Amino acid sequence: MKNEIYQKLPVYHPPDRVWHNIHQKLDAEEKSRNSLSYIWGVAASVLLILFIAVSMTSNIKNVSKEVQITYSEEHIDTLLTHIPATNESDEFQEIENLCKAQPIKCDDEYAQSLIQQIRDLENASIELSQQASSEQNIPDLSIEKHKNYIQKEKYKRIKKLRRYLDE
Amino acid sequence: MDISEETLIQGCIKQERRFQKLLYDRYCAAMFTIAVRLCVHYEDAEDALQEAFLEVFKHIHEFRKESTLGAWIKKIVVRTALKKNKKSSQRQDIQILPLTFCDFDNLIEKQTDMEYLEKCILSLPQKSRQIFVLAEIEGYSHEEIAELLQISVGTSKSQLHYAKQLLKQKLEPILK
């Protein structure tokens, strides 16, 4: 018998329920993946805020003690100035515009998780600025570093969101 | 609409349901046919197809284009079907409904030759049927079959010989 004979054998077609089941399982996997990334995002934001708050408190305490006995000769790292100053309302306006263009995508868990993280980071940045200004105008390099770090993290998420909504 | 294989792959990597459905539609019949021939139960063939396609969508980014997409999917379907079969034969409590067709004389009257041949293949004992399907229909080598079924090359060859003998006997009525 030659192989060509077998090419003429009958072909079986699977019932529609097979695709239906595959479709359902893919949907379920996608949902669990999105909610997992949302949980990780929230947890990371909370940890970041806690870390900043704790390190900031300890730094401020140290600086206050040193100022009483000596003077500070802090050298500002020029690398810190590399992040361009941006208008925060512009950033949120841009996100709003993107959301208007892609309302369905913007409402899903992933996009909402990113927006929440951006807001959390924004709040952390404001909180940091307020605390710094309340500490009798003591110049502190670590606060600047933290602020820059938060900004960087925020840009990353804005970039991610933009990419996601542009897809 | 004829969508290229590359477009399908890229769409599936992005987890786009439209492309996943197109890929499924393109290969489901061929893959289901292989699964039916390898499985003892029809339901197992359905399950194997479902599991295999979920595996395909999950790992499509790992497809290295060393073979055609169809051949890659076929490999996954064959492995899944054989695994399913193993599990199925371990379930002693479930009654096995073999895909055997004993009433050959009546079948010659009702079915075309190819359908009759198909039924004869499906009526072969499970192990020799799997080896016959893989070697003769799907073109696997004895080394590949030995690896897939975890048997020796010699066993694969002797089982194929046995399957051919049985098939010859069953086909005798229409060969006369």
Side-chain angles (χ1 to χ4, degrees), chain B residues 149-168:
Chain B
L149 297 174
Q150 292 174 324
I151 53 171
S152 68
V153 173
T155 311
S156 171
K157 283 179 182 171
S158 65
Q159 284 286 326
L160 180 62
H161 179 72
Y162 175 61
K164 281 182 178 173
Q165 292 285 350
L166 279 178
L167 210 54
K168 209 174 164 188

Side-chain angles (χ1 to χ4, degrees), chain A residues 142-157:
Chain A
S142 70
I143 289 176
E144 284 303 314
K145 276 184 181 172
H146 287 314
K147 276 174 82 173
N148 276 306
Y149 179 67
I150 292 172
Q151 283 290 95
K152 273 183 193 168
E153 289 298 312
K154 206 169 77 181
Y155 289 136
K156 271 187 206 165
R157 280 159 180 78

Side-chain angles (χ1 to χ4, degrees), chain B residues 22-152:
Chain B
L22 283 170
L23 183 104
Y24 174 82
D25 286 342
R26 188 173 287 186
Y27 293 104
C28 71
M31 300 306 151
F32 188 58
T33 305
I34 298 170
V36 166
R37 288 180 187 143
L38 291 175
C39 289
V40 181
H41 309 280
Y42 186 83
E43 293 79 15
D44 282 346
E46 278 184 31
D47 287 350
L49 186 75
Q50 186 183 312
E51 280 174 31
F53 268 97
L54 283 170
E55 198 79 353
V56 165
F57 295 140
K58 199 174 168 187
H59 295 283
I60 196 152
H61 61 279
E62 291 169 18
F63 173 56
R64 296 278 168 266
K65 292 167 196 164
E66 286 157 359
S67 59
T68 61
L69 181 63
W72 184 71
I73 296 172
K74 191 166 89 173
K75 241 183 215 175
I76 296 173
V77 171
V78 167
R79 279 183 197 278
T80 317
L82 293 175
K83 211 161 72 184
K84 201 93 211 157
N85 241 5
K86 226 178 194 178
K87 276 186 193 167
S88 192
S89 54
Q90 281 166 359
R91 286 181 296 174
Q92 298 294 333
D93 53 322
I94 295 170
Q95 193 197 352
I96 293 172
L97 299 166
L99 281 162
T100 50
F101 300 87
C102 303
D103 195 6
F104 291 107
D105 295 332
N106 286 334
L107 281 167
I108 311 164
E109 305 286 322
K110 294 171 192 167
Q111 310 287 340
T112 64
D113 287 351
M114 291 322 284
E115 280 170 338
Y116 181 70
L117 175 60
E118 174 77 15
K119 285 176 197 303
C120 289
I121 293 167
L122 293 177
S123 73
L124 291 171
Q126 187 195 340
K127 208 81 190 169
S128 36
R129 167 156 51 104
Q130 285 176 347
I131 292 167
F132 182 84
V133 169
L134 292 173
E136 291 293 304
I137 305 177
E138 301 305 330
Y140 280 66
S141 68
H142 282 292
E143 285 75 16
E144 286 172 311
I145 294 169
E147 196 203 323
L148 274 170
L149 297 174
Q150 292 174 324
I151 53 171
S152 68

Side-chain angles (χ1 to χ4, degrees), chain B residues 12-30:
Chain B
C12 289
I13 289 172
K14 287 178 190 163
Q15 311 264 352
E16 285 185 38
R17 203 68 81 242
R18 187 168 68 93
F19 288 104
Q20 289 174 332
K21 174 79 168 112
L22 283 170
L23 183 104
Y24 174 82
D25 286 342
R26 188 173 287 186
Y27 293 104
C28 71

Side-chain angles (χ1 to χ4, degrees), chain A residues 59-71:
Chain A
N59 269 328
I60 287 169
K61 275 180 189 168
N62 289 340
V63 170
S64 311
K65 279 176 195 166
E66 283 166 19
V67 163
Q68 289 172 354
I69 54 166
T70 184
Y71 67 93

